[in-house]
Amino acid sequence: MTAEPQPVRVLLVDDDALVRAGLTMMLAAFDGIEVAGAVADGTEVAAAVGTHRPDVVLMDIRMPGLDGLTATESLRARREPPEVIVLTTFDTDAHVLRAMRAGASGFLLKHTPPEEIARAVRRVAAGEPMLSPEVLRRMMNHVAAAAHDPGRDRARAALQQLSPGEHDVALLVAQGRTNQEIGTALRMSTATVKAYVSRILTKLDLTNRVQVALLVHDAR
């Protein structure tokens, strides 16, 4: 008899009680997702993660004590951290880029349809980022605006550490492709793609695929 898959455990972090309640009710409508807990400020995140062991944290940005981006940076520095999706009303380029550099696996606006939020939760829990076309455009605009940034040379030097196969995988990761899509494009099994991604993260000392994507775009 096949065991039932475990639900994706989610921790909500938002200083608005109505938003927390709304997200709790909304996510409860989707099979395979469980709201494990909810807190009102970034200062409470570390303890809540230790208590509830979430797979995914839905993180607001602006909170009165510790902002969500700083909380994300601290959380992603932990050993075996949960994935983080930044869910906010603020969508400036600075917020998007800092969230990705901090190690967030997704960036969604609060007016995102419930189905898309649920899909993002499931996707990042499976180890794949939620890079929307809008976020990819912002990354490209950032690269175009920083054409003379010395960070480009550092990014290129970092990517030179990769083997040809790893480099090909990294380029497709930067396009927001799933493991299955990368495998189809490069004629690899999904397991092989996962192994390549793991090696890329280790070689480049990165924590997730979003940071790989940002590095690739910085190098252009």
Side-chain angles (χ1 to χ4, degrees):
M1 185 175 179
T2 304
E4 285 290 322
Q6 294 297 310
V8 177
R9 294 173 58 80
V10 179
L11 174 69
L12 306 178
V13 185
D14 197 295
D15 63 331
D16 189 325
L18 289 177
V19 171
R20 296 196 303 273
L23 286 171
T24 298
M25 292 178 61
M26 181 270 288
L27 290 173
F30 294 94
D31 293 335
I33 297 177
E34 172 188 337
V35 176
V39 296
D41 192 76
T43 57
E44 303 173 78
V45 170
V49 167
T51 299
H52 300 295
R53 304 290 182 183
D55 303 298
V56 177
V57 177
L58 280 180
M59 184 85 74
D60 190 18
I61 288 183
R62 289 195 178 178
M63 292 176 284
L66 185 70
D67 70 89
L69 297 180
T70 302
T72 297
E73 291 170 344
S74 177
L75 185 58
R76 292 298 299 171
R78 294 167 59 124
R79 184 177 181 182
E80 298 183 358
E83 302 295 340
V84 177
I85 298 174
V86 173
L87 183 65
T88 183
T89 55
F90 302 98
D91 64 340
T92 65
D93 287 352
H95 285 134
V96 173
L97 291 168
R98 187 178 167 198
M100 291 190 293
R101 293 191 190 282
S105 293
F107 190 103
L108 299 174
L109 298 180
K110 286 183 178 176
H111 64 245
T112 301
E115 295 80 6
E116 286 298 304
I117 295 176
R119 186 167 75 90
V121 166
R122 293 190 183 104
R123 182 163 171 174
V124 301
E128 297 184 352
M130 189 65 180
L131 284 177
S132 69
E134 179 184 4
V135 170
L136 286 172
R137 283 195 300 272
R138 287 178 182 273
M139 290 170 63
M140 294 305 295
N141 290 338
H142 161 72
V143 173
H148 301 292
D149 188 342
R152 180 179 62 178
D153 294 332
R154 291 194 296 270
R156 289 179 175 178
L159 291 177
Q160 287 176 357
Q161 301 176 55
L162 303 180
S163 69
E166 290 165 351
H167 191 268
D168 289 344
V169 170
L171 293 180
L172 293 177
V173 166
Q175 295 176 18
R177 303 283 192 93
T178 65
N179 287 339
Q180 185 175 3
E181 290 168 344
I182 294 172
T184 299
L186 300 180
R187 297 184 179 180
M188 297 177 179
S189 69
T190 300
T192 299
V193 174
K194 289 181 179 178
Y196 268 94
V197 171
S198 179
R199 290 203 298 270
I200 291 167
L201 293 175
T202 299
K203 281 189 176 182
L204 301 182
D205 193 26
L206 301 175
T207 61
N208 66 19
R209 297 160 66 110
V210 172
Q211 291 179 333
V212 174
L214 190 57
L215 187 69
V216 169
H217 285 290
D218 279 348
R220 291 177 177 172

